Amino acid sequence: NAGVTQTPKFRVLKTGQSMTLLCAQDMNHEYMYWYRQDPGMGLRLIHYSVGEGTTAKGEVPDGYNVSRLKKQNFLLGLESAAPSQTSVYFCASSRGGTDTQYFGPGTRLTVL
Amino acid sequence: TQLLEQSPQFLSIQEGENLTVYCNSSSVFSSLQWYRQEPGEGPVLLVTVVTGGEVKKLKRLTFQFGDARKDSSLHITAAQPGDTGLYLCAVQPLYGGSQGNLIFGKGTKLSVKP
């Protein structure tokens, strides 16, 4: 099992560009999450999904959209990137809401 | 206002020393989790503490949940370079917590020098 994988690992964008981050899990987990991690800020939840076809807002959802068309994939989109979105993005998945969350290796995004 | 306060923010020690890091809050939680994150990787769950006063051991790591379930500590005995990393505590909010939406502290960055 690969666990949770994230694509790409690194990306540099210019302000105003758009991109999609892909998260995939092979553990048949129902719940999936997107977090961002900034220096000195810990991890903050952006959006999450409790099942295929469902999404919900987390603590810092503005400027991001998500989709969960397939159970194993959770996509995070930036429609118009801003420098404030420079961060490391982590995806996680869990079997249920109170079960262990398994994290991917992260995507380092820089917006110039 | 940060829900979870972790201290110290940074800690640099020599191999073989003991250390304790803390996770404090003014709120009560049903459970609290500790994660370790190594550079370039995602966090990995170490332990979940549930009962007030609970103590859990994981080899040289000892985790304690406060009696009032507002705080927790992580003690490492005879630290080794492999313990180097960012230690994060996390909780689920009392409302909507069953959705898995964790709230993390800012972490303690530990460096253990050989």
Side-chain angles (χ1 to χ4, degrees):
Chain A
N1 287 349
V4 179
T5 57
Q6 293 183 232
T7 309
K9 293 190 188 315
F10 303 93
R11 185 71 186 269
V12 178
L13 291 178
K14 293 181 180 179
T15 297
Q17 287 185 319
S18 63
M19 77 161 295
T20 300
L21 281 65
L22 171 63
C23 175
Q25 52 94 4
D26 61 2
M27 296 174 282
N28 201 34
H29 284 170
E30 289 294 334
Y31 288 63
M32 296 187 75
Y33 316 84
W34 276 108
Y35 295 89
R36 60 178 289 174
Q37 185 174 34
D38 302 298
M41 291 297 293
L43 280 83
R44 292 180 292 170
L45 184 66
I46 305 171
H47 285 281
Y48 63 99
S49 168
V50 301
E52 180 179 323
T54 71
T55 63
K57 294 180 180 180
E59 181 185 354
V60 288
D62 294 343
Y64 305 95
N65 56 76
V66 288
S67 64
R68 184 97 181 270
L69 298 179
K70 294 183 179 180
K71 186 177 183 179
Q72 63 268 34
N73 296 336
F74 196 27
L75 278 63
L76 178 70
L78 287 73
E79 289 188 351
S80 180
S84 61
Q85 294 177 304
T86 293
S87 187
V88 182
Y89 291 85
F90 287 99
C91 176
S93 72
S94 65
R95 185 177 57 183
T98 56
D99 294 312
T100 299
Q101 292 190 20
Y102 295 87
F103 285 80
T107 294
R108 184 174 294 274
L109 175 66
T110 301
V111 183
L112 302 175
Chain B
T1 302
Q2 185 73 13
L3 185 63
L4 297 174
E5 296 287 344
Q6 290 193 244
S7 61
Q9 191 174 355
F10 300 97
L11 189 56
S12 181
I13 61 172
Q14 293 295 129
E15 182 176 2
E17 292 184 9
N18 301 332
L19 67 112
T20 302
V21 299
Y22 301 92
C23 177
N24 297 311
S25 176
S26 57
S27 301
V28 177
F29 301 105
S30 58
S31 65
L32 185 145
Q33 299 178 339
W34 282 97
Y35 290 78
R36 179 168 65 212
Q37 183 179 17
E38 298 186 16
E41 298 183 9
V44 176
L45 180 67
L46 296 173
V47 77
T48 300
V49 286
V50 179
T51 306
E54 180 178 9
V55 176
K56 282 192 174 180
K57 293 193 174 185
L58 187 65
K59 296 184 181 178
R60 294 175 292 100
L61 278 62
T62 302
F63 304 85
Q64 184 161 8
F65 202 15
D67 291 340
R69 291 185 288 121
K70 292 183 178 181
D71 51 73
S72 181
S73 64
L74 159 58
H75 181 80
I76 301 179
T77 303
Q80 299 177 1
D83 296 326
T84 292
L86 179 68
Y87 288 82
L88 296 157
C89 62
V91 296
Q92 290 188 337
L94 289 177
Y95 297 103
S98 62
Q99 304 296 305
N101 41 330
L102 291 174
I103 297 173
F104 283 84
K106 294 182 180 182
T108 292
K109 193 169 185 178
L110 172 66
S111 174
V112 182
K113 294 178 170 39

